[in-house]
Amino acid sequence: MRKDVLIIGGGPAGLLLAHHFQEHGIDYRVLERGKIAESWRAMRPGLVLLSPAVPGTDWTSLTLKHPLWAMPGVRKPFPTREDFLCYMEAFSREHGLNVGENIAATRIAVTRSSFAVGTTAGEMSCRFAVLATGASAVPHYPDVPEISLNPFVLHAGDFVHCMAYAGRRVLVIGGGNSAAELTIELAGTAKVTLCTRRPMRYFSETGELDDIRGSSESILKELIRFGIIRLREADPAVTVSDRRVRFLSGEEQEFDWILCATGYRPGLVPVEGGEMRTDPDGYPLISAVGETTLPGLYVCGSMARFNRRCAFIHGFRNYIEKVFWDIADRL
Ligand SMILES: Cc1cc2nc3c(=O)[nH]c(=O)nc-3n(C[C@H](O)[C@H](O)[C@H](O)COP(=O)(O)OP(=O)(O)OC[C@H]3O[C@@H](n4cnc5c(N)ncnc54)[C@H](O)[C@@H]3O)c2cc1C
């Protein structure tokens, strides 16, 4: 199969870019390794989004012509994961986007003035390829020797439900929203300690979306004040040996489980025949219009680090137009 543009990844970014190509009659196809918005399907049921979606303050919808809050049943400032998934499905269906589900891209090879994309459904080729595979593909662990190999350690992405930890001593590592949400969820059943690298930062004070925000902020503060959660602020774990953790302060403590809410890194599709250079965190280096160091290969969405806000929908949605227009101008 040959297309002018192949978009790899059918999450919010890939679908929004597809919408622009669709509207302008450009020949494209989205390849999605699972179902539409697969990364959101893997998140915890009931998760509440960090970013609001209401008329006037909409940080979550892909386009304001077709906003999330206009969906039947969505009338609260912060939508749930389920609201968002329904929105993604409706967005794709109503715009008639060309998405191939259950097709994973496995490699991208540079050929003469085009790309050959190896997939689980055979080889495809295109003039321009766009990686929209997201920034949450690979769990990121704190910088503690061999922590990811420890059988008592798990990543936030693997957490299912607090009842699995009832009565257990749990250490949550991390100082962001995920750490706060998991700590609160565990507080009623487990004995929880939260440890952070730096002093705690709250959205009400900094305005930064990745700082602890909303109801998590007030509940966390109260749980700490009541002594229900023990806080080791700016006292990170430095070594973990089985269940035993040594902190920067020199103190040691045993836990039954150690939960790392320390974020993710992008997962890149292997590239052959050219070099796609990346920054030290594994994000592709890009031009002002999202083109990587490999001409014709672009990135968009949360893996395109135009700036830090691009980790979020309201941060990346305008940049997707830059990617779109640059490709459209070159076709
Ligand atoms: C717990 C959590 C909560 C969050 N809450 C918010 C929030 O409230 N508001 C907000 O704006 N952002 C939030 N984010 C960030 C959110 O992930 C991004 O805003 C958004 O999903 C990024 O969209 P994306 O399309 O770039 O990547 P993703 O949503 O990760 O989509 C990437 C897609 O690519 C597919 N894919 C990956 N590899 C391949 C391959 N090789 N071949 C084919 N398909 C592939 C994946 O299956 C996936 O569907 C949150 C993230 C997490 C982890």
Side-chain angles (χ1 to χ4, degrees):
M1 188 183 69
R2 185 171 171 82
K3 289 276 161 198
D4 282 340
V5 186
L6 279 177
I7 301 169
I8 302 169
L15 297 180
L16 178 56
L17 182 63
H19 168 61
H20 290 305
F21 287 123
Q22 179 84 16
E23 280 212 314
H24 288 80
I26 290 171
D27 178 42
Y28 76 93
R29 184 155 168 84
V30 179
L31 306 178
E32 167 53 55
R33 67 175 170 184
K35 302 290 286 178
I36 283 166
E38 185 65 34
S39 318
W40 284 86
R41 290 173 202 273
M43 289 186 199
R44 268 181 308 130
L47 180 136
V48 177
L49 271 75
L50 299 166
S51 32
V54 290
T57 309
D58 189 338
W59 287 11
T60 305
S61 303
L62 296 188
T63 65
L64 298 181
K65 268 192 259 164
H66 183 133
L68 204 166
W69 43 262
M71 285 193 72
V74 182
R75 282 291 183 279
K76 26 190 193 305
F78 295 95
T80 62
R81 157 193 174 270
E82 289 72 21
D83 296 330
F84 188 66
L85 274 169
C86 290
Y87 173 66
M88 289 287 103
E89 296 229 352
F91 186 89
S92 174
R93 196 172 49 241
E94 284 169 28
H95 293 293
L97 303 182
N98 182 0
V99 183
E101 291 183 316
N102 299 313
I103 303 175
T106 50
R107 65 180 185 95
I108 300 174
V110 183
T111 57
R112 264 188 71 218
S113 69
S114 67
F115 296 100
V117 178
T119 81
T120 48
E123 191 158 291
M124 306 181 187
S125 67
C126 58
R127 282 180 65 192
F128 295 97
V130 186
L131 282 174
T133 47
S136 46
V138 182
H140 179 67
Y141 288 86
D143 194 13
V144 174
E146 306 208 326
I147 191 166
S148 64
L149 306 175
N150 186 315
F152 303 104
V153 170
L154 75 156
H155 191 269
D158 299 317
F159 178 89
V160 178
H161 198 274
C162 61
M163 289 318 290
Y165 307 92
R168 305 287 178 193
R169 300 162 300 175
V170 182
L171 173 68
V172 178
I173 301 180
N177 273 296
S178 292
E181 283 165 14
L182 292 176
T183 302
I184 292 166
E185 187 165 335
L186 284 161
T189 51
K191 300 180 187 95
V192 198
T193 301
L194 172 66
C195 87
T196 67
R197 253 188 319 173
R198 290 189 284 264
M200 301 290 277
R201 288 162 55 94
Y202 294 102
F203 179 76
S204 66
E205 293 154 17
T206 65
E208 293 287 337
L209 200 59
D210 42 10
D211 292 340
I212 297 164
R213 65 79 179 94
S215 57
S216 295
E217 171 173 339
S218 53
I219 296 174
L220 188 71
K221 281 178 173 167
E222 288 204 19
L223 288 170
I224 293 168
R225 200 159 300 149
F226 273 118
I228 294 171
I229 289 169
R230 172 158 188 212
L231 175 64
R232 287 183 171 276
E233 191 172 11
D235 189 15
V238 287
T239 61
V240 180
S241 171
D242 287 337
R243 299 165 189 267
R244 193 152 194 85
V245 179
R246 189 157 62 80
F247 295 92
L248 187 65
S249 58
E251 280 180 48
E252 293 196 8
Q253 204 178 336
E254 285 221 343
F255 296 93
D256 298 302
W257 291 103
I258 297 145
L259 182 53
C260 300
T262 40
Y264 298 86
R265 293 288 184 266
L268 299 176
V269 177
V271 173
E272 296 164 9
E275 193 194 2
M276 181 172 61
R277 289 173 46 219
T278 55
D279 71 13
D281 291 334
Y283 288 79
L285 298 178
I286 50 173
S287 71
V289 289
E291 192 172 20
T292 68
T293 52
L294 211 55
L297 178 63
Y298 291 72
V299 294
C300 75
S302 55
M303 72 178 325
R305 259 192 177 172
F306 291 100
N307 58 48
R308 281 188 58 232
R309 283 191 304 130
C310 288
F312 297 94
I313 292 158
H314 76 287
F316 68 63
R317 64 186 170 196
N318 291 339
Y319 284 97
I320 284 183
E321 279 190 49
K322 290 185 192 284
V323 175
F324 163 71
W325 280 115
D326 200 60
I327 296 176
D329 281 349
R330 291 170 68 181
L331 277 170

